């Protein structure tokens, strides 16, 4: 017997048929003798509909009332799923955020979970009942409904799993796990059996939309084993489960991954643009003078590279922004020319960022060189390089995205069947 | 300054424009210096949508989960209305049933309000804020969401008004008051300024759908002054308000109506059918033997008339049912012939019930005779008569409905402008 938290997103509960399919998944775990808590999102499209209603009333609305309106979506789906479970003889009841309660901060619209009283849930388990929990919502100290921000149901699930000391938190999505890269781009991409929290964080923030970054951070902090699985499997059919019982991809501590690959995956994001400031005064406060106004304009700056000062007292500064934000970013920078004191500004759009991610590269010299050589062999020009402990990112012309990702995928031996890194 | 509860139904909050219009109505009362609580229903169509989702999951669903799902409708509308009020500088916040709480019985789907803790509301008023309250919902002693049954928001509003000792409870609907009869049938029908609770109950149960019967009963028990008003008025325009400040129709105690008309209104309902049992054994238990099986079959029996036994030990029994239920009612009766012991059964469909209602008829002899004479003058044959203290109902051929209603409306001096009975 295990204690399991299962999480289903909006697409998985998008209509009655899918809700019944989710109930069948839950029944399978329940019938196997497990203690099960299920966290669900609003039916797909519903949160958007509710958000639109709020916007139609007023562009500047009270965030507390916004939370009252949008949390109604999850309220509907937990009620329906509890009904669907009861129908197939799985005793279940719904729980709303205010009923445990799931206590959060008072920051409406993006509240943080502070405490979950698990007493009622433990009582449910003792009675052999499944708890169906509304994701995304909680209760403020002022006794008002809060929400955790878009995609917050992943975070709810991990928080519930941590509070319950669950053996596993299964995140059911519309993909069947985490892949070495985007399978639409590289047909040879293979599903990873295991990936470390750190790698998942890099993959998530690099554009792999499987898990919300915040939920991975929370899982890492509380050592919650996350499993990414597909909700569209037919639960009646026998699933492909590896020898160690993993159906999708397990996100866990590095130590639990026996033989670590050097590189676990290749991430990419298109639609990048870069801006270079020539001959910037190389003195304290320059970076703040540049990036402060950009942050104020809500422009998301990603890679920042500053070259070593070539002449006395000047340097070149390059940074990337999303393509769409390029015109605004240029405007901001140009308006600051006198303050910042640079000679000229250059910008290039239509770029892509390709990154290799893997905790194994820490202990392996030559990973970067291998990456650069491989790209050079394909005549792909690297425009900007940025690295972290477990990641190397390069900026290239977006036309070379597919070519670069495929070359790197092969070079780091990621091609192959559904073998996994574990 | 007065303390006012305003109630708006689903049609009144059916879209963003209408919600803004409701906010304008509220602002008017707020700006006049009143303490205002607003009770709202779900946006029109929303409750039906949620009920359908429940039915699609299962025909036999847990009533507790049903309440979780359908109460989400009011949750959305209170949040939106609070936003709309804040936008026009009326400080407001939403309140859900569990937040006061509004305590109810545990009978999910048709719970009864037991207690309303008004402490938070009083604090709102002290702060000069408007309370926007979700109608139709409450909290059970088991800390679960309950609903009051369809149309329950009227009841919520009256209960809140009673708990707050409000000066008035204004029910905004899609009509601008209670009329002497259906204005579609009688163009000369006039709006009543005042009507007593007792008369309103008779009018409501006779098919005038302005107010939910239960809310009128509750208002009568707690002496809550109800005012029926139109929500489609433009609040910016000066409204027709009578000398005593009534904009629609006031439902109040008989004593508050100075000069009582003999007859206040004419109600009617078409689609009635009657069944007569000939030569029923005139002995104790016969009525129970007839109406028990009909109640078991969920057939709604309305008028029941039993003639005095003509011969030794036998009587004729007549009762009415809705046209649609006639075939089933006949089937039930025929299957009981041996048990009940009647000679034969006759039935007639296509009938209508016309009723005159008025507390004044208590003290006026000859009202019944006047009614019967008037109908006879128009050659309308009366098939069944039934009376209460403040009502006389007759059953006639449905083809004569308009003729009969119009004749009685004129005969009892109800024709005329918007004069009112007050």
């Amino acid at each position: 017997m295990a204690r399991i938290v299962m999480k289903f997103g909006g697409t998985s509960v998008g209509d009655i048929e899918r809700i019944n399919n989710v109930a069948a998944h839950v029944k399978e775990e329940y019938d196997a003798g497990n203690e099960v808590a299920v966290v669900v999102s609003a039916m797909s499209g519903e949160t958007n509909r509710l958000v639109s209603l709020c916007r139609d009333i007023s562009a500047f609305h009270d965030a507390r009332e916004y939370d009252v309106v949008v949390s109604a979506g999850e309220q509907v789906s937990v009620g329906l799923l509890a009904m669907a479970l009861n129908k197939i003889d799985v005793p279940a009841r719904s729980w709303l955020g205010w009923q445990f309660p799931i206590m959060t901060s008072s920051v409406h619209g993006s509240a943080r979970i502070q405490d979950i009283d698990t007493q009622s849930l433990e009582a449910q388990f003792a009675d052999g009942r499944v708890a169906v929990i509304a994701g995304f919502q909680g209760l403020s100290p002022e006794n008002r409904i809060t929400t955790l921000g878009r995609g917050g149901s992943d975070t709810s699930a991990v928080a519930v799993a941590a509070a319950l000391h669950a053996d596993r938190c299964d995140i059911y999505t519309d993909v069947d796990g985490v892949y070495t890269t985007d399978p639409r781009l590289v047909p040879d991409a293979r599903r990873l059996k295991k990936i470390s929290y750190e790698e998942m964080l890099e993959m998530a923030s690099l554009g792999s939309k499987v898990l919300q970054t915040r939920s991975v951070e929370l899982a890492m902090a509380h050592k919650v084993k996350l499993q990414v699985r597909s909700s569209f499997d037919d639960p009646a059919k026998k699933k492909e489960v590896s020898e160690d019982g993993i159906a999708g991809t397990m996100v866990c501590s590095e130590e639990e991954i026996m033989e670590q690959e050097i590189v676990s995956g290749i991430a990419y994001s298109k639609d990048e643009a870069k801006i270079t400031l020539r001959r910037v005064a190389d003195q304290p406060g320059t970076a703040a003078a540049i990036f402060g106004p950009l942050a104020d304009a809500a422009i998301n700056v990603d890679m920042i590279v500053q070259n070593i000062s070539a002449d006395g007292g000047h340097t070149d500064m390059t940074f990337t922004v999303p393509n769409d934000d390029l015109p605004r970013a240029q405007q901001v920078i140009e308006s600051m020319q006198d303050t910042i004191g640079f000679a000229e500004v250059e910008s290039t759009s239509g770029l892509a960022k390709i990154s290799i991610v893997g905790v194994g590269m820490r202990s392996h010299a030559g990973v970067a060189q291998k990456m650069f050589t491989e790209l050079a062999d394909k005549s792909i020009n690297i425009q900007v390089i940025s690295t972290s402990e477990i990641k190397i990112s390069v900026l290239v012309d977006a036309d070379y995205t597919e070519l670069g990702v495929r070359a790197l995928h092969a070079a780091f031996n990621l091609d192959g069947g559904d073998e996994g890194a574990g």
Side-chain angles (χ1 to χ4, degrees), chain A:
Chain A
M1 192 201 75
R3 181 173 282 190
I4 301 172
V5 173
M6 306 171 80
K7 185 260 166 180
F8 294 89
T11 320
S12 306
V13 294
D15 58 33
I16 299 298
E17 192 189 334
R18 288 181 177 179
I19 290 173
N20 285 326
N21 189 49
V22 165
H25 276 292
V26 174
K27 182 179 172 63
E28 198 188 22
E29 298 287 9
Y30 177 80
D31 286 348
N34 296 312
E35 291 176 340
V36 184
V38 194
V39 175
V40 285
S41 305
M43 295 170 81
S44 56
E46 185 60 7
T47 303
N48 285 339
R49 184 180 75 86
L50 295 170
V51 169
S52 298
L53 285 173
C54 294
R55 290 206 181 126
D56 288 350
I57 289 277
S58 170
F60 307 99
H61 41 249
D62 188 328
R64 292 166 298 192
E65 303 301 347
Y66 171 90
D67 282 356
V68 169
V69 174
V70 298
S71 63
E74 279 72 22
Q75 180 163 333
V76 170
S77 48
V78 289
L80 295 176
L81 180 56
M83 285 179 191
L85 284 166
N86 289 333
K87 188 179 61 178
I88 55 173
D89 300 321
V90 176
R93 77 155 269 196
S94 63
W95 291 89
L96 301 170
W98 56 269
Q99 283 177 320
F100 295 117
I102 294 179
M103 293 306 303
T104 72
S105 65
S106 299
V107 186
H108 286 270
S110 56
R112 299 218 149 232
I113 295 176
Q114 292 176 333
D115 187 45
I116 298 181
D117 186 339
T118 56
Q119 212 179 327
S120 331
L121 285 179
E122 294 285 357
Q124 290 277 292
F125 290 151
D127 285 354
R129 290 158 69 87
V130 168
V132 181
I133 301 167
F136 178 63
Q137 61 179 243
L139 187 69
S140 76
E142 294 79 27
N143 202 38
R144 300 205 63 177
I145 295 176
T146 53
T147 65
L148 310 181
R150 293 305 290 265
S153 291
D154 282 357
T155 307
S156 300
V158 173
V160 166
L164 284 172
H165 305 288
D167 297 292
R168 221 169 67 217
C169 179
D170 290 355
I171 308 284
Y172 285 79
T173 70
D174 46 7
V175 296
D176 65 352
V178 181
Y179 278 74
T180 49
T181 194
D182 186 346
R184 288 167 305 180
L185 213 67
V186 183
D188 269 346
R190 60 187 162 81
R191 194 173 60 194
L192 294 163
K193 270 185 200 157
K194 291 189 178 179
I195 185 170
S196 71
Y197 297 120
E198 292 84 353
E199 290 168 323
M200 191 65 225
L201 277 174
E202 291 286 5
M203 296 287 271
S205 58
L206 289 170
S208 166
K209 285 167 193 161
V210 179
L211 286 175
Q212 213 209 357
T213 306
R214 198 165 135 204
S215 67
V216 180
E217 287 169 355
L218 194 64
M220 183 161 71
H222 293 276
K223 298 216 181 301
V224 172
K225 277 193 205 172
L226 283 179
Q227 196 172 242
V228 178
R229 310 177 59 162
S230 167
S231 65
F232 296 111
D233 289 345
D234 180 351
K237 278 191 204 148
K238 187 145 180 65
K239 272 181 288 299
E240 291 173 56
V241 175
S242 65
E243 280 164 30
D244 38 5
I246 301 171
T249 297
M250 181 73 84
V251 188
C252 53
S253 304
E254 215 176 301
E255 303 88 61
E256 291 181 64
I257 305 176
M258 288 288 285
E259 212 176 328
Q260 190 67 53
E261 296 281 335
I262 299 168
V263 169
S264 295
I266 318 278
Y268 70 92
S269 60
K270 291 182 170 182
D271 302 320
E272 303 273 338
K274 79 165 189 219
I275 294 178
T276 300
L277 307 187
R278 295 282 181 210
R279 292 183 59 77
V280 179
D282 188 11
Q283 61 191 35
T286 302
I290 295 169
F291 298 110
L294 289 170
D296 291 346
I299 292 165
N300 192 21
V301 174
D302 181 15
M303 302 166 86
I304 300 174
V305 181
Q306 183 181 329
N307 297 343
I308 295 164
S309 192
D311 60 359
H314 287 94
T315 182
D316 295 344
M317 175 85 81
T318 298
F319 58 87
T320 62
V321 297
N323 259 340
D324 290 348
D325 286 347
L326 184 59
R328 278 200 308 132
Q330 276 178 295
Q331 214 170 13
V332 169
I333 291 297
E334 278 158 15
S335 74
M336 305 292 295
Q337 182 155 14
D338 292 346
T339 324
I340 304 170
F342 53 84
E344 56 177 329
V345 54
E346 290 167 11
S347 66
T348 321
S349 61
L351 302 175
K353 181 172 65 170
I354 301 178
S355 309
I356 59 175
V357 176
V359 293
M361 68 172 73
R362 278 202 203 102
S363 51
H364 283 76
V367 173
Q369 200 222 327
K370 185 172 180 180
M371 181 186 196
F372 304 153
T373 308
E374 193 61 34
L375 294 173
D377 283 354
K378 302 287 188 225
S379 305
I380 299 173
N381 188 38
I382 298 171
Q383 307 201 12
V384 174
I385 299 170
S386 124
T387 62
S388 81
E389 238 195 344
I390 63 165
K391 180 200 74 177
I392 305 172
S393 299
V394 297
L395 205 62
V396 301
D397 189 315
D399 290 346
Y400 293 89
T401 313
E402 287 77 4
L403 181 63
V405 169
R406 284 181 195 138
L408 293 171
H409 199 264
F412 286 101
N413 298 314
L414 296 172
D415 287 358
D418 186 26
E419 295 288 322

